[in-house]
Amino acid sequence: MIERIGKKRIFGKLTGTFLVWVIIVLCIMPFIWMLSSSFKTEKDVFSMPFRLITETFNFNNYKDVWFGKYNYPQMYLNSIKVTFISVCLCVITSCMAGYGFSKLKFPGRDKVFLLYLATMMVPHQLLMVPKFLIFKEMGIYNTHLALILPAIFSIYGVFMMRQYMMQIPEELSEAARIDGAGEFRICFQIISPLCKPAIVTLVILFFTWTWNDYDNALIFLNSKELYTVNLGLVNFMDETGMQYSLIMAASVLSILPIFAIFLFAQKYFVGGLSAGGVKG
């Protein structure tokens, strides 16, 4: 009886592992095909029989994308500028708000926090028209400020930082207040350094969300010299006449920053995500 149960468990684990690997392969196959196609000539992209690894690597696709007439470096710099500023400011505001909702005691604090969380139920598409009208009146339509300002406030970021800071003993902030430290100093010099896993996780998430933002760029940007990478890729497809080898090379270049920052900070990622689920 025990042997039968043991065999069933082993069979279940093997089946589960096999299914997980099948799902993983299905998920990464489009990326592998994209990477493979970026090194092929146009006639070899859809050649039959299909070759995942090409016999000769064609680096001219990357050269044509980066140094060609498509203004790709400018779009890259625009995305870096918008993403870097947005991520830095968003982490600061998330730390400040998370500290306020976890360490400062004021009447109705938890009710205000729940009301703030409730705004997550509002679809961001619903806010596009009001934001468009507001930015038009402010005179920042068709500028990068129209992308940066909405991105520096994140409900999820505040939630994660609040949950993480709730785990930190109150004695630390109380001792700092007795020593004469102000709230800003306690927040940024005492509490926030202890939240490194959560902050790194937010950096990865904010970077990915901002770098991949297409809807806001489509609505709030009109000039080609201000285009970010995602908006530029759509224009790039029109200009290249759907040359898939060039499009795949441009796509690979567009995901490199996300891939690099995830590899750099992945050891903090799981710890930061699990911390956000702690009850406060």
Side-chain angles (χ1 to χ4, degrees), residues 192-266:
S192 293
L194 300 175
C195 304
K196 189 175 180 180
I199 291 175
V200 174
T201 302
L202 290 183
V203 168
I204 295 174
L205 294 176
F206 292 160
F207 188 96
T208 304
W209 295 340
T210 308
W211 185 271
N212 290 333
D213 185 16
Y214 173 76
D215 293 342
N216 287 305
L218 177 65
I219 293 173
F220 300 133
L221 296 181
N222 194 29
S223 303
K224 285 188 177 182
E225 58 269 16
L226 297 175
Y227 279 6
T228 56
V229 167
N230 290 296
L231 187 57
L233 275 175
V234 178
N235 189 64
F236 180 81
M237 288 189 288
D238 295 333
E239 292 184 0
T240 56
M242 298 302 290
Q243 296 184 43
Y244 286 96
S245 56
L246 293 179
I247 294 172
M248 294 303 107
S251 300
V252 170
L253 289 174
S254 70
I255 66 172
L256 283 180
I258 299 175
F259 186 71
I261 195 171
F262 182 78
L263 287 181
F264 177 75
Q266 63 176 328

Side-chain angles (χ1 to χ4, degrees), residues 124-153:
H124 77 277
Q125 293 88 350
L126 195 65
L127 303 176
M128 288 295 187
V129 174
K131 285 195 293 186
F132 176 83
L133 296 175
I134 292 172
F135 294 159
K136 199 82 169 177
E137 291 295 323
M138 293 174 61
I140 62 174
Y141 171 73
N142 197 33
T143 67
H144 287 151
L145 269 177
L147 303 183
I148 295 172
L149 285 180
I152 64 177
F153 301 101

Side-chain angles (χ1 to χ4, degrees), residues 40 43-55:
K40 295 179 179 179
K43 66 178 181 179
D44 293 333
V45 172
F46 296 107
S47 62
M48 298 301 291
F50 174 75
R51 289 180 178 269
L52 188 60
I53 300 177
T54 181
E55 294 181 353

Side-chain angles (χ1 to χ4, degrees), residues 80-90 148 152:
I80 291 174
K81 169 189 170 184
V82 171
T83 303
F84 178 78
I85 297 174
S86 300
V87 170
C88 290
L89 294 178
C90 194
I148 295 172
I152 64 177

Side-chain angles (χ1 to χ4, degrees), residues 148-161:
I148 295 172
L149 285 180
I152 64 177
F153 301 101
S154 170
I155 304 172
Y156 180 77
V158 174
F159 171 74
M160 176 174 280
M161 293 308 301

